[in-house]
Amino acid sequence: MQLPHLIGLAQAELTDFGAGLGEPPFRARQLFAAIHRRRLLSFAEMTDLPKELRAKLSEQTVISTLTLESRYLSSDGTRRYLFKTSDNLPVETVFIPEERRDTICFSSQSGCPLQCTFCLTAQLGLLRNLTAGEIVEQIIVALNDAYGAGVKAPRGTNLVGMGAGEPFLNFEALMKAIRIMAEPSGLYIVPNRVTVSTAGVVPRIRELATIPDRPHLAVSLAAAADELRDQLMPINKKWPLRELLSACKDFEKSLKPNERFTFEYVMLKDVNDADEQARQLANLLNRYELRAKLNLIPHNPAEPLPYHPSSTERVESFRAILESKGIHAFVRRPRGRDILAACGQLAARSVSEARP
Ligand code: SF4
């Protein structure tokens, strides 16, 4: 029998669970704060809880379920974690320190069912959806590794759902995790600091627009013409660009005054990086008059993927064409390349295994 995973319980669920053990609501609040605000992952450290209660909890529940298998530290400070779930499936998380904030890139699934041809995770296929607890736990372990359990992070934390998996195919667990992390008595990472990236699950884009406490949205494009996008991101056969962009247009109505959503465009040498394709992309976005910004992501080469990164000059020329047509385009600096932590490289591989 699986024991309840406490990290995945919202405040109210924890209160109900505590009531079942005969505990008053304030004990559940203490426990929630111990796990989520102080980030304590062992009952022994929760010395403000009575010993008998800790003993009962450790018999009947588990706080954490992920096991840290490997941890890689990049020369640029980026950290990559490879966890195993209790059923032995890989989960990867990346911690990216920046001057004014930290960004944690979390996974929503183990593997991924979508088959984007430029992404290594795709080669694992879908192993399974992660639970809300397994999503939140990635954040807690990364913060503890960077700062120590119980130590307040010195900078704000941004979260991006751009690790392994398509977050919108695990929507309920994702939204539950985001709500647990937003609790002021816990991690207090509000949805405004969270961005979720989709390959284009159109019904969920529309659903997200209706949720008041929603995170920001990013959409991965990779091509501005259906024929090429069908090849690079086969999900396009189900929801082609016309449907995707009109869902984005509808989503735009839910944007707050200073909010923009983001398109991501991975740059693949001689595949989607020609001047003509930049014009095609600008025309597509302009046709829908979208209040969006565009991130150009230099592809991160990884065996056995058949792609190469576009040259710096090519990326710059592509960006300049977009800007000349009124599209705000930014080139995303790759982080953690030396530890295979960059976009599209998460596939549960160890660094030594990947080097010749
Ligand atoms: S790019 Fe994202 S959605 Fe596409 S296969 Fe990789 S993990 Fe899945």
Side-chain angles (χ1 to χ4, degrees):
M1 189 191 70
Q2 263 198 347
L3 298 176
H5 182 200
L6 294 183
I7 287 189
L9 298 187
Q11 280 262 24
E13 290 173 315
L14 208 52
T15 306
D16 289 348
F17 182 78
L21 298 178
E23 294 295 330
F26 83 89
R27 286 286 180 224
R29 287 197 293 273
Q30 265 180 313
L31 184 56
F32 188 87
I35 297 171
H36 296 277
R37 192 175 64 223
R38 297 160 66 203
R39 305 191 308 267
L40 304 179
L41 297 182
S42 88
F43 294 114
E45 292 170 293
M46 300 178 188
T47 46
D48 53 336
L49 294 179
K51 248 191 176 159
E52 309 73 57
L53 174 59
R54 285 187 273 152
K56 223 187 304 179
L57 287 171
S58 62
E59 267 169 30
Q60 300 185 21
T61 67
V62 283
I63 304 180
S64 66
T65 60
L66 297 180
T67 310
L68 184 60
E69 284 261 308
S70 321
R71 171 184 172 279
Y72 305 96
L73 184 60
S74 163
S75 51
D76 68 13
T78 300
R79 294 160 190 234
R80 173 164 76 103
Y81 307 96
L82 173 57
F83 300 99
K84 282 280 155 71
T85 60
S86 56
D87 48 349
N88 216 25
L89 301 175
V91 175
E92 285 181 83
T93 312
V94 180
F95 177 90
I96 308 154
E98 286 164 293
E99 222 172 276
R100 288 197 305 233
R101 60 172 182 266
D102 298 318
T103 299
I104 300 175
C105 175
F106 66 88
S107 295
S108 52
Q109 299 181 308
S110 180
C112 183
L114 302 185
Q115 289 163 344
C116 305
T117 53
F118 50 82
C119 169
L120 262 192
T121 311
Q123 308 208 341
L124 297 175
L126 175 66
L127 301 170
R128 77 163 162 79
N129 279 339
L130 298 182
T131 63
E134 287 165 338
I135 295 174
V136 179
E137 193 171 336
Q138 294 173 59
I139 313 310
I140 291 185
V141 174
L143 287 172
N144 282 359
D145 182 55
Y147 301 115
V151 180
K152 194 171 179 298
R155 296 179 281 271
T157 308
N158 285 358
L159 302 181
V160 292
M162 297 182 186
E166 162 54 57
F168 282 180
L169 294 181
N170 187 16
F171 196 68
E172 266 178 42
L174 170 81
M175 291 309 296
K176 183 177 183 191
I178 289 174
R179 287 186 181 124
I180 291 175
M181 293 189 285
E183 280 289 340
S185 60
L187 283 164
Y188 202 12
I189 302 173
V190 294
N192 199 29
R193 300 197 78 124
V194 184
T195 302
V196 173
S197 175
T198 181
V201 181
V202 161
R204 294 301 197 194
I205 294 176
R206 294 187 188 284
E207 189 176 344
L208 189 72
T210 66
I211 299 177
D213 58 340
R214 63 161 175 77
H216 300 291
L217 176 68
V219 176
S220 175
L221 274 183
D226 280 322
E227 205 184 356
L228 180 57
R229 199 165 187 270
D230 282 351
Q231 289 169 30
L232 298 176
M233 303 182 74
I235 192 176
N236 195 65
K237 293 180 194 155
K238 189 160 186 185
W239 290 294
L241 282 165
R242 183 178 20 86
E243 286 185 39
L244 176 59
L245 273 289
S246 59
C248 292
K249 189 67 196 164
D250 289 345
F251 185 87
E252 198 178 41
K253 297 187 194 110
S254 78
L255 294 184
K256 308 196 174 66
N258 288 324
E259 187 186 4
R260 286 174 174 224
F261 64 75
T262 310
F263 286 108
E264 313 273 348
Y265 191 95
V266 60
M267 300 277 304
L268 307 168
K269 183 177 183 218
D270 299 334
V271 174
N272 67 356
D273 64 351
D275 287 352
E276 182 49 34
Q277 286 161 317
R279 283 190 279 273
Q280 202 176 36
L281 179 57
N283 292 343
L284 180 74
L285 298 180
N286 284 335
R287 202 177 316 138
Y288 287 86
E289 295 179 347
L290 280 159
R291 209 169 86 209
K293 66 172 180 157
L294 183 75
N295 280 338
L296 298 175
I297 305 174
H299 170 63
N300 295 295
E303 287 288 333
L305 300 181
Y307 301 107
H308 301 284
S310 308
S311 67
T312 313
E313 300 73 41
R314 189 87 298 277
V315 174
E316 188 42 43
S317 158
F318 199 90
R319 194 193 65 77
I321 292 172
L322 289 162
E323 288 283 345
S324 74
K325 290 182 165 280
I327 307 290
H328 296 299
F330 304 85
V331 180
R332 223 167 59 198
R333 194 162 53 101
R335 298 286 305 262
R337 264 187 174 167
D338 55 337
I339 54 164
L340 306 180
C343 262
Q345 285 187 323
L346 300 185
R349 297 203 309 185
S350 71
V351 172
S352 56
E353 193 186 308
R355 285 187 177 140

